[in-house]
């Protein structure tokens, strides 16, 4: 049962509001002024605070200010009660960190709906979501009730992309978000001599191109299909509406970007200092982790030697020699030109 603290100096309104909250099944505690209210917050740790603005001893702004300064209270959802004549105070309260406000007089339904929204958002903030697309999918469900981010791609135009076809190019301005429904896609950067470096790999269920959308910049890489693929095209306006209307999802995307930066830093370190064997082993393991989440054995790496070499950051000839060594060591097998991963554990041990 959720505990709600009501801070209201009008005795009649305080008792009526307590009855309304009790009907909804909340455990209700009350205070007749802000000073007592702050003391009750510290001693009772309520799940949500509803507070009048104009009160003796300590007004609602004072209560909110103290809550924002106190580590144990600052994350408790806070709803202001304000009379219609005090609407100008609403902006001040929201600017100070209030989560919502309710104008007097109010109905029971209005009060219940506001509390329910704030408690749900507070529950989401307390949860830990992995900083990846799986975590974002889970967050999307918690925040909107939709099964996953796939809902954003439903009913979109589907582009059929051929192998080696470019989906978007480095330097262009983004106008859409891409959702990979089928196939494999890589993002690459190319130097002045035409040599490729694979930045990231994508598979069915992944979104592509969101970094440039969030940054408001041009694409810093090129996205290219590694095999025949199907891509859903999501207009920029729809993506921006999702981000702007849901703070929690925006925060999660920022975390994903931060994680991507860390991953790229590790990749650059590996390309600069790893041995050839370690580079190839890391490429095989990254493909295993990306395209075989169920850890099925043996894992068939259906990627061309050219793509595998760019993922490893080495020449195709050097890759082929290293794959031959791995085959002799029974770490992999090569069947009909396709690499089959036999001992993922030993390959992983090379990385440490």
């Amino acid at each position: 049962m959720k505990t709600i603290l009501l801070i209201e100096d009008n005795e009649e309104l305080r008792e009526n509001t307590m009855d309304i909250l009790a009907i909804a099944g909340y455990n209700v505690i009350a205070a007749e002024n802000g000073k007592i209210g702050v003391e009750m917050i510290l001693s009772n740790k309520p799940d949500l605070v509803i507070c009048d603005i104009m009160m003796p001893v300590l007004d609602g702004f004072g209560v909110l200010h103290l809550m924002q300064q106190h580590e144990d209270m600052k994350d408790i959802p806070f709803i202001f009660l304000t009379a219609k004549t005090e609407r100008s105070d609403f902006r001040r309260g929201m600017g100070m960190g209030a989560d919502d406000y309710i104008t007097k007089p109010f109905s029971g339904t209005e009060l219940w709906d506001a509390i329910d929204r704030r408690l749900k958002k507070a529950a989401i903030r307390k949860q830990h979501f992995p900083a990846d697309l799986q975590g974002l999918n889970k967050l999307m469900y918690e925040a909107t009730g939709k099964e996953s981010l796939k809902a954003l791609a439903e009913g979109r135009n589907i582009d059929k992309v051929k192998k080696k076809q470019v989906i978007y190019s480095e330097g262009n301005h983004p106008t859409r978000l891409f959702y990979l429904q089928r196939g494999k896609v890589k993002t690459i950067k190319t130097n002045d001599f035409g040599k490729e470096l694979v930045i990231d790999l994508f598979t069915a269920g992944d979104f592509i191109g969101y970094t440039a959308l969030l940054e408001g910049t041009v694409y810093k890489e090129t996205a290219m299909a590694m095999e025949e693929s199907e891509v859903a095209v999501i207009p920029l306006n729809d993506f921006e509406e999702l981000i702007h209307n849901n703070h929690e999802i925006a925060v999660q995307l920022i975390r994903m970007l931060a994680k991507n930066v860390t991953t790229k830093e590790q990749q650059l370190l590996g390309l600069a200092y790893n041995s050839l064997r370690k580079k190839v082993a890391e490429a095989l393991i990254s493909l295993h982790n990306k395209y075989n989440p169920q850890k099925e054995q043996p894992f068939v790496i259906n990627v061309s030697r050219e793509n595998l070499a760019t993922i490893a950051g080495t020449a195709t000839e050097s890759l082929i020699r290293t794959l031959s060594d791995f085959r002799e060591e029974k770490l992999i097998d090569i069947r009909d030109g396709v690499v089959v991963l036999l001992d993922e554990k030993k390959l992983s041990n090379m990385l440490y």
Side-chain angles (χ1 to χ4, degrees), residues 158-346:
I158 306 298
D159 288 346
K160 293 186 177 181
V161 184
K162 296 180 179 180
K163 183 177 180 180
K164 294 188 177 183
Q165 183 176 334
V166 172
I167 298 171
Y168 62 77
S169 299
E170 182 178 357
N172 287 344
H173 288 274
T175 59
R176 61 197 70 184
L177 176 68
F178 301 96
Y179 177 78
L180 185 56
Q181 288 198 330
R182 182 178 67 83
K184 296 183 180 71
V185 170
K186 63 180 178 180
T187 51
I188 59 174
K189 290 184 75 70
T190 307
N191 66 10
D192 294 337
F193 301 101
K195 187 173 181 180
E196 292 181 359
L197 172 64
V198 173
I199 303 299
D200 213 339
L201 299 170
F202 300 90
T203 188
D206 284 347
F207 285 85
I208 309 171
Y210 59 84
T211 302
L213 292 175
L214 290 172
E215 292 178 341
T217 61
V218 298
Y219 291 118
K220 296 181 175 65
E221 71 287 322
T222 296
M224 180 184 295
M226 298 168 64
E227 62 185 33
E228 289 190 0
S229 305
E230 293 182 358
V231 181
V233 179
I234 302 165
L236 174 60
N237 290 341
D238 290 0
F239 177 70
E240 289 181 337
E241 182 180 356
L242 172 68
I243 302 304
H244 293 161
N245 291 339
N246 198 299
H247 172 73
E248 287 79 11
I249 290 177
V251 170
Q252 187 71 3
L253 281 168
I254 292 170
R255 289 175 180 167
M256 288 172 59
L257 290 178
K259 182 183 177 184
N260 287 344
V261 170
T262 302
T263 301
K264 299 301 180 293
E265 289 174 348
Q266 293 297 323
Q267 182 183 16
L268 289 173
L269 283 173
L271 290 173
Y273 299 112
N274 285 349
S275 65
L276 176 60
R277 283 174 59 87
K278 191 171 182 178
K279 287 180 182 179
V280 176
E282 192 165 25
L284 295 173
I285 294 301
S286 67
L287 288 167
H288 176 270
N289 293 337
K290 184 65 180 180
Y291 297 118
N292 187 28
Q294 305 301 323
K295 307 298 182 183
E296 296 177 358
Q297 297 296 336
F299 171 56
V300 177
I301 301 176
N302 191 17
V303 175
S304 69
R305 297 292 188 276
E306 180 184 18
N307 277 324
L308 188 53
T310 57
I311 294 169
T314 187
T316 304
E317 296 78 8
S318 299
L319 170 83
I320 292 173
R321 289 197 301 270
T322 306
L323 289 179
S324 297
D325 293 340
F326 286 174
R327 184 180 188 182
E328 291 179 3
E329 297 167 30
K330 301 190 183 304
L331 300 175
I332 65 169
D333 195 6
I334 300 177
R335 304 169 187 171
D336 299 324
V338 177
V339 176
V340 180
L341 194 60
L342 300 178
D343 199 328
E344 181 262 342
K345 186 175 181 180
K346 286 186 178 179

